[in-house]
Amino acid sequence: MTTTIIASAAPRPPTTRTRLALLATATAVGSIGLAAGGLAGPLLAVELTGDPATAGLPIGVHVAGSAVGAVLVSRVSARDGRPAGLALGYLLGAAGAVIVVAAAAWAGLGLLLLGSAVFGVGNASVFLARYAAAATGGPATRGRALGIVLFAVAAGAVAGPNLLAAGGTLASAVGLPHLTGLYLISIGSFLTAAALLGALTRASERPAARPAVRRAAVAGTGVPVRAVVLLAVTNLVMVGVMAVAPVHLVAHGHGPALVGGIVSVHALCMFVPSILSGPLLDRVGPAVVTTAAALLLAASGVVAAAGSDDGVALLVSVSLLGLGWNAGVLAGSALLTAGVPPQDRLRAEGRGEVAMGLAAGGGAPVAGLVVASGGFVALGIGAAIVVLVVAVPVAVTLMERFGEPSQG
């Protein structure tokens, strides 16, 4: 009798739908904090130093922190479960935001850079959540789960930048510099995301130990390497083009309203289509979606080169760029998940995020050099060539293995 009562009183593990809903909600809330690193960080650096040349420093260390954070979150996830790893990333991101606020109050650039690096760990949790979603269901619904969580990121992509004024009002009300407002909002969003993952942390199962013979067998398929390359090239092209596109638009006489609108449309194209492209991935398979990504990204480069001085042409270009990024990240993530056994996935996912982070860190300066030497036309053509040379062969070599969407 006693045993029966204890068993019936034990908490039931959350269902697949509940897990996915909590992951998506936590990602949506946590993604609101992303705007601080990309928008407020550069502005704070210039305000503290008076030197525009320092604007890129917070973003640089933020990207580095995100890459290191991906490794940390993946290792904790391997030991204690994915929700625990993601929650830790959010908590560290909140701590980084606190450091940045202190740096702004004490006018310390070094402290700002330290805080930006730690803040980047929260960024890693936002994007690693898509792999946790993919693990909630079976292979037949992997794309749908990936798409739902990437769609959730759209909440932060849209809401975050629009909170700059409200955040400034909040910061001023508590006696802090105006630009710390977004970081104050980030603290709340990251802590809330970590709290939402609390229930999943207690219910998650610890990953099983990895057999020693498994790694050699997986390495022979080549799938993880191709998936990581696809993710890296997709991010390289997107970040490279978008790092210089706003500057190029302003230099050709386009006003801030047009520039802001184009960037917003690009962000929407990156995340909002996931609600449709995710299920499509389940239907047609990652190889087909990889081909679509290559064509979209290449078309973006061609349109940018053909109409480099025209605002409408660039709007079309960055829209195609966002759609191509969406398809490339979904396909690369699915390939990485399907091509690696469950025991090895967390390590592979961390490597994939590090590759994306390194590509983002290198994409902006490389793009700047290309534009300086050959103009925006050269950047568009170069981006198209890089994508076609890398992504299309990946799709061709994987077509036979992943011809059926349910494989892996």
Side-chain angles (χ1 to χ4, degrees):
M1 176 69 71
T2 303
T3 303
T4 303
I5 293 175
I6 293 175
S8 62
R12 294 181 179 180
T15 63
T16 297
R17 180 174 296 180
T18 300
R19 292 176 65 87
L20 186 57
L22 282 172
L23 280 169
T25 304
T27 302
V29 174
S31 65
I32 295 174
L34 297 182
L39 181 57
L43 296 175
L44 264 176
V46 175
E47 184 176 272
L48 290 177
T49 64
D51 184 2
T54 62
L57 295 178
I59 294 180
V61 297
H62 175 84
V63 170
S66 181
V68 174
V71 177
L72 173 63
V73 170
S74 296
R75 288 185 176 180
V76 174
S77 297
R79 186 188 65 200
D80 300 324
R82 293 179 188 269
L86 296 174
L88 176 63
Y90 283 126
L91 292 175
L92 288 174
V98 171
I99 296 173
V100 170
V101 172
W106 297 334
L109 178 62
L111 199 59
L112 170 64
L113 298 181
L114 172 63
S116 297
V118 179
F119 184 79
V121 185
N123 184 86
S125 280
V126 170
F127 287 101
L128 279 172
R130 71 185 189 275
Y131 292 113
T136 60
T141 59
R142 182 177 292 135
R144 174 178 172 272
L146 283 166
I148 287 173
V149 169
L150 269 184
F151 178 78
V153 180
V158 174
N162 292 313
L163 293 174
L164 182 61
T169 301
L170 172 63
S172 300
V174 296
L176 290 170
H178 187 273
L179 288 174
T180 62
L182 276 183
Y183 284 98
L184 294 177
I185 293 173
S186 297
I187 294 170
S189 65
F190 283 168
L191 291 178
T192 302
L196 287 170
L197 292 168
L200 292 181
T201 300
R202 291 190 295 271
S204 63
E205 297 181 1
R206 295 193 177 190
R210 296 190 301 269
V213 298
R214 180 81 72 171
R215 188 167 300 162
V218 175
T221 68
V223 174
V225 174
R226 292 181 175 88
V228 170
V229 169
L230 175 61
L231 290 169
V233 169
T234 299
N235 219 35
L236 172 73
V237 171
M238 188 277 293
V239 173
V241 172
M242 292 310 297
V244 298
V247 178
H248 173 77
L249 286 166
V250 172
H252 283 77
H254 299 292
L258 177 63
V259 175
I262 286 177
V263 173
S264 296
V265 170
H266 167 74
L268 289 174
C269 289
M270 287 175 64
F271 300 111
V272 172
S274 302
I275 202 70
L276 299 176
S277 55
L280 179 64
L281 175 64
D282 292 326
R283 291 176 61 87
V284 302
V288 174
V289 177
T290 299
T291 304
L295 295 177
L296 286 166
L297 291 171
S300 170
V302 172
V303 172
S308 60
D309 298 335
D310 182 67
V312 175
L314 288 177
L315 174 62
V316 174
S317 175
V318 300
S319 298
L320 292 171
L321 183 65
L323 293 172
W325 183 91
N326 177 271
V329 169
L330 277 173
S333 302
L335 286 169
L336 193 59
T337 302
V340 180
Q343 297 89 343
D344 295 316
R345 282 176 186 164
L346 287 160
R347 184 188 297 271
E349 291 160 8
R351 289 173 177 171
E353 286 305 293
V354 170
M356 291 184 71
L358 293 176
V366 169
L369 292 174
V370 172
V371 171
S373 60
F376 203 76
V377 173
L379 179 63
I381 294 174
I385 292 174
V386 168
V387 169
L388 292 175
V389 168
V390 176
V392 171
V394 168
V396 171
T397 57
L398 293 170
M399 187 66 73
E400 182 178 352
R401 176 177 174 84
F402 292 97
E404 294 294 329
S406 61
Q407 286 182 352

